[in-house]
Amino acid sequence: VQLVQSGAEVKMPGESLKIACKVSGYSLNSFWIGWVRQMPGQGLEWMGIVYPGDSKVTYSPSFQGQVTLSVDRSTSTAFLQWSSLKASDTAMYYCARHAVVGYFDYWGQGTRVTVSS
Amino acid sequence: DIQMTQSPSSLSASVGDRVTFTCRASQSISSYLNWYQQKPGEAPKLLIYAASTLQSGDPSRFRGSGSGTDFTLTINSLQPEDFATYYCQQGYSTPHTFGQGTKLEIK
């Protein structure tokens, strides 16, 4: 099982961004894929999960409306996107495979997003 | 949202020590409690799920226990590679919130 994330991004406030998480080594439709934020020097925050089978998404209320989770089954890739970045979006973002009982058992290496003017 | 509270926030210990961390949920989460280890510059790693099931490949010196609202993670005979930050997470209801973490440092 591997989750490989796209590279670091440096953006300006107001710009849009879509980061990727390509999965391999298991049947994509068997597990949800989740995203976790870690702001500099801070803890882990559960953002939401997406089910590749039908693209159903469950967001944390803290992130609802702030980001969009999606998946492209043809490329086995999950995405996290912003339409208008803020400086407060500066963080490391991890994707991870989400088991039915709520744990993340395989993680990507992380994508660092820096938003600065 | 269910709030997860970990204590202590940091802990100093020596190689060979036994340490215990605690995690408390703001409401009952049955046994839907997971523990992760994160080292600086690395992604988190699943250690224990369902409160007490050791993830495949993880050393048996890690032990999880508890149910309902109160949980513990015990590390027996600390090894140098165990110095890291440990997070609990509830998998009972979405959002599957994390605790704020306990940083384990070398004394």
Side-chain angles (χ1 to χ4, degrees):
Chain A
V1 175
Q2 281 195 308
L3 291 85
V4 180
Q5 298 186 231
S6 50
E9 301 275 1
V10 179
K11 292 288 189 179
M12 298 186 67
E15 290 190 313
S16 62
L17 176 64
K18 193 173 188 178
I19 63 175
C21 171
K22 185 170 177 61
V23 310
S24 61
Y26 72 96
S27 173
L28 182 67
N29 291 346
S30 299
F31 294 87
W32 294 67
I33 297 172
W35 291 88
V36 175
R37 182 174 80 175
Q38 188 166 39
M39 299 178 76
Q42 302 301 310
L44 306 173
E45 298 175 88
W46 193 94
M47 300 177 70
I49 51 175
V50 56
Y51 183 62
D54 59 7
S55 296
K56 179 180 177 181
V57 181
T58 299
Y59 292 99
S60 165
S62 297
F63 292 93
Q64 178 88 46
Q66 308 303 309
V67 298
T68 301
L69 307 188
S70 61
V71 64
D72 180 344
R73 283 181 287 178
S74 69
T75 60
S76 298
T77 303
F79 299 98
L80 168 62
Q81 68 181 88
W82 296 259
S83 59
S84 180
L85 286 160
K86 302 184 283 286
S88 57
D89 293 317
T90 294
M92 180 72 83
Y93 292 88
Y94 295 101
C95 66
R97 193 176 80 166
H98 183 274
V100 172
V101 291
Y103 58 82
F104 292 120
D105 57 354
Y106 291 92
W107 293 66
Q109 82 278 19
T111 296
R112 185 172 301 280
V113 174
T114 303
V115 184
S116 175
S117 55
Chain B
D1 300 1
I2 296 175
Q3 183 175 356
M4 306 302 293
T5 303
Q6 291 184 242
S7 61
S9 56
S10 64
L11 178 62
S12 294
S14 301
V15 172
D17 284 353
R18 176 185 177 188
V19 295
T20 298
F21 311 134
T22 64
C23 177
R24 175 165 289 176
S26 60
Q27 66 182 74
S28 177
I29 58 170
S30 185
S31 295
Y32 292 93
L33 191 282
N34 314 307
W35 291 97
Y36 300 86
Q37 176 194 66
Q38 187 180 33
K39 297 179 181 178
E42 297 184 6
K45 174 188 172 186
L46 178 67
L47 282 176
I48 288 171
Y49 62 92
S52 61
T53 303
L54 193 64
Q55 172 71 340
S56 175
D58 288 334
S60 59
R61 63 180 179 273
F62 292 93
R63 180 175 176 271
S65 64
S67 67
T69 61
D70 294 315
F71 301 86
T72 60
L73 172 67
T74 298
I75 311 174
N76 291 300
S77 188
L78 274 172
Q79 298 301 300
E81 60 268 28
D82 298 337
F83 292 93
T85 300
Y86 292 84
Y87 295 93
C88 64
Q89 179 214 19
Q90 62 84 13
Y92 182 77
S93 66
T94 58
H96 292 157
T97 41
F98 291 91
Q100 81 279 15
T102 293
K103 187 174 183 179
L104 178 59
E105 299 174 303
I106 299 175
K107 185 183 289 184

